[in-house]
Amino acid sequence: MSIYRLVPGETALTDLARLYWGNAPARLDPACRQAVEAAARRIDAAAAGEAAVYGVNTGFGKLASHKIASEDTAKLQRNLILSHCCGVGEPVPARLVRLMMVLKLLSFGRGASGVRWAFVDLIEEMLARGVTPVVPAQGSVGASGDLAPLAHMAAVLIGEGRAEFGGESLPGAEALARAGLSPLPLGPKEGLAFINGTQFSTAFALAGLFEAWRAAQNALVISAMSTDAIMGSTAPLQPEIHRLRGQPGQIEAAAAMRAILEGSEIRESHRDGDSRVQDPYCIRCQPQVTGAAIDVMRQAGRTLEIEANAATDNPLVLREPDRIVSGGNFHAEPVGFAADMIALAVSEIGAISQRRVALMVDPALSFDLPPFLTPEPGLNSGLMIAEVTTAALMSENKHLANPCVTDSTPTSANQEDHVSMAAHGARRLARMVVNLNQILGVELLCAAQGVEFRAPLVTSPPLQAVLARLRADVARLSEDRYLAPDLDTVFGLVADAEITTACGVALPEL
């Protein structure tokens, strides 16, 4: 497996997406080493001096006024990590912990954190050899940094905590030893450099973004099939309509749908003589809604790309002027805003998808499709309750889409009196995207049934390929059967990009 080279300040969303999906090991650009080590020397000098420097020779948070003797600075940092390992809840998926580690490398690579290069080496080797800290998912309020989860990550590097290695959950020291690695003692400020940062929140927000983008691509393909299923018009996809508005995501969404529907016999069969004047908004306004979600996710992506490359701990070692300064880069407000934006986009893609499901199962609106898309309605209920499930998931996502960043609360004896709540704002995206993919999966089942009811007319070549991929795993619903396995299967096809791959049409990229 090739090793990814990380360049702080230049690592793009596309790079981070490849690391997320591919699970590849990564190493910091060796050109960073000089600045990293210079900052570490500056911290060592401060630790040996008489002047109080926050987090180097003082306590933390509300205890910052307590001066720490130079001989106790190493114990101070170790105590910091151990005392902050207060996370609770389910373990974070290994893929996300690895992304957290990559983001911490990028942050250290800016040369402002004061950690020794030996810790960079150890993180890199853990990534390469598959030692993944066990990090509980809950406990961060997104300032000052993702303290608890990052402490659990850092604990393994000093031989504490727990880590996964070789398919087992082991004590941190044992996991390192089995991988041929050794823990390191913490020097001045190094513990603080690990836990003051936004890497937990940012990793979850990035993962949510990457998964949501894949869902948006699926939505373009599946909604095109729904358009053919109800014999909808492609006139609203004409390029000039979208150029006249000028919104880039809308323009790209319409172009993709035109390409997906090109060559459909179903569409050509009702181009003339159709008594309907307009389709409902869930068909007619697909580019405007999904396109807007695309634009919002790209805005959020730009924020997260910047954050991924940022130095976000405290204090920071400045080169011009040569000072160690306390600031607030650990406050994850930008990440919180980005996560809320992504949540809104996910909710809206699901909302309009659910309305297309409702349209297709309703004989009053589906243009002669049978009720609930079953050949013998009455005896069979068809996809009646699958549609109800999508309504439940849509409503759940609407609740989850409420902003988290506005919900601040003071912590740490009011020293940390405004926080971002970015951590659970970002974590909730995973649940929302699962819900969205379930909705899209049901829409695909409905659209496929609808298109097949239009036989002998056939849909476009790209959508015929999608239909063939679906039918390889899920049979047509000719009579009622136990549907739960079908929903599970189609969810997997959507989430794993099998549908977009089968379609073969170029789709908007992040």
Side-chain angles (χ1 to χ4, degrees):
M1 182 182 292
S2 60
I3 297 175
Y4 218 93
R5 185 170 69 95
L6 302 170
V7 182
E10 299 179 17
T11 299
L13 276 180
T14 50
D15 302 317
L16 295 165
R18 290 189 194 103
L19 285 164
Y20 174 72
W21 293 116
N23 223 23
R27 292 191 181 276
L28 204 52
D29 187 343
C32 299
R33 183 165 188 162
Q34 182 178 351
V36 169
E37 292 185 331
R41 289 192 296 270
R42 184 70 180 84
I43 291 293
D44 284 340
E50 293 297 320
V53 180
Y54 174 72
V56 177
N57 54 13
T58 73
F60 307 103
K62 197 74 170 179
L63 304 175
S65 59
H66 292 252
K67 184 77 160 55
I68 307 299
S70 59
E71 62 268 22
D72 288 332
T73 54
K75 185 177 183 181
L76 172 73
Q77 299 298 317
R78 182 177 178 83
N79 286 350
L80 176 70
I81 296 301
L82 298 179
S83 68
H84 282 56
C85 285
C86 292
V88 297
E90 293 296 316
V92 173
R95 182 196 300 269
L96 276 156
V97 178
R98 289 175 63 85
L99 185 56
M100 286 168 58
M101 296 165 73
V102 166
L103 296 177
K104 188 55 80 173
L105 285 175
L106 283 168
S107 184
F108 287 168
R110 297 299 295 265
S113 297
V115 299
R116 290 165 291 159
W117 191 261
F119 273 109
V120 172
D121 279 336
L122 183 53
I123 295 172
E124 291 173 346
E125 288 302 320
M126 289 169 66
L127 287 168
R129 303 184 194 195
V131 179
T132 307
V134 174
V135 178
Q138 294 169 281
S140 173
V141 295
S144 61
D146 295 313
L147 297 172
L150 289 174
H152 283 277
M153 185 187 83
V156 176
L157 284 86
I158 63 172
E160 300 288 347
R162 297 190 68 81
E164 292 180 3
F165 179 73
E168 296 183 69
S169 177
L170 304 165
E174 184 178 346
L176 289 174
R178 288 199 193 181
L181 300 171
S182 299
L184 291 172
L186 291 164
K189 192 195 172 280
E190 287 180 325
L192 192 58
F194 270 102
I195 69 171
N196 257 183
T198 65
Q199 287 75 36
F200 175 88
S201 297
T202 305
F204 268 94
L206 284 167
L209 175 66
F210 299 148
E211 300 276 2
W213 192 268
R214 178 175 284 186
Q217 292 178 320
N218 273 293
L220 292 173
V221 175
I222 295 167
S223 64
M225 185 178 283
S226 298
T227 300
D228 244 9
I230 64 105
M231 302 186 88
S233 174
T234 55
L237 301 178
Q238 291 181 39
E240 189 173 357
I241 292 174
H242 306 285
R243 286 199 301 267
L244 284 168
R245 193 177 207 182
Q247 298 289 356
Q250 176 180 327
I251 291 169
E252 292 178 59
M257 292 186 69
R258 286 196 305 274
I260 294 166
L261 285 161
E262 181 67 30
S264 167
E265 289 182 8
I266 297 173
R267 172 63 188 117
E268 293 305 316
S269 72
H270 64 97
R271 193 174 291 277
D272 298 316
D274 194 329
S275 61
R276 296 169 297 172
V277 177
Q278 293 180 330
D279 292 318
Y281 289 177
C282 66
I283 298 295
R284 196 185 348 149
C285 300
Q286 292 172 81
Q288 287 80 0
V289 175
T290 307
I294 285 170
D295 286 337
V296 165
M297 286 193 283
R298 281 180 175 150
Q299 292 173 41
R302 179 56 184 150
T303 296
L304 296 175
E305 182 178 75
I306 293 168
E307 191 74 6
N309 286 273
T312 56
D313 60 283
N314 179 61
L316 293 173
V317 181
L318 308 184
R319 279 170 266 183
E320 295 180 11
D322 181 14
R323 296 173 61 192
I324 302 171
V325 181
S326 284
N329 281 3
F330 52 71
H331 199 298
E333 195 83 356
V335 182
F337 275 122
D340 283 347
M341 292 166 67
I342 297 165
L344 290 170
V346 169
S347 181
E348 282 297 275
I349 294 170
I352 196 169
S353 172
Q354 199 282 328
R355 298 318 303 156
R356 291 190 294 269
V357 173
L359 182 74
M360 286 184 281
V361 301
D362 186 346
L365 299 172
S366 64
F367 201 57
D368 298 329
L369 292 176
F372 304 106
L373 297 164
T374 180
E376 288 190 77
L379 177 63
N380 295 288
S381 296
L383 291 165
M384 177 190 295
I385 303 306
E387 185 268 331
V388 174
T389 297
T390 66
L393 295 172
M394 174 188 68
S395 184
E396 184 175 312
N397 270 5
K398 287 178 180 179
H399 286 277
L400 289 170
N402 280 297
C404 294
V405 79
T406 55
D407 186 27
S408 177
T409 189
T411 62
S412 193
N414 279 302
Q415 177 75 5
E416 298 157 7
D417 59 350
H418 183 279
V419 297
S420 71
M421 296 300 180
H424 70 263
R427 279 196 306 110
R428 75 24 162 118
L429 296 176
R431 178 177 166 189
M432 291 186 71
V433 174
V434 167
N435 289 345
L436 173 55
N437 285 335
Q438 295 280 12
I439 294 169
L440 290 170
V442 172
E443 184 186 354
L444 178 60
L445 290 177
C446 292
Q449 286 281 115
V451 162
E452 288 170 331
F453 277 120
R454 302 301 181 186
L457 299 172
V458 295
T459 189
S460 67
L463 291 178
Q464 289 180 55
V466 169
L467 188 58
R469 179 65 192 88
L470 172 66
R471 291 298 179 232
D473 290 348
V474 180
R476 184 180 180 183
L477 188 64
S478 56
E479 61 180 5
D480 284 352
R481 61 173 181 258
Y482 184 53
L483 277 177
D486 291 356
L487 267 62
D488 286 343
T489 299
V490 77
F491 167 81
L493 293 176
V494 171
D496 295 338
E498 294 282 339
I499 297 306
T500 53
T501 300
C503 178
V505 170
L507 299 166
E509 296 292 342
L510 184 58

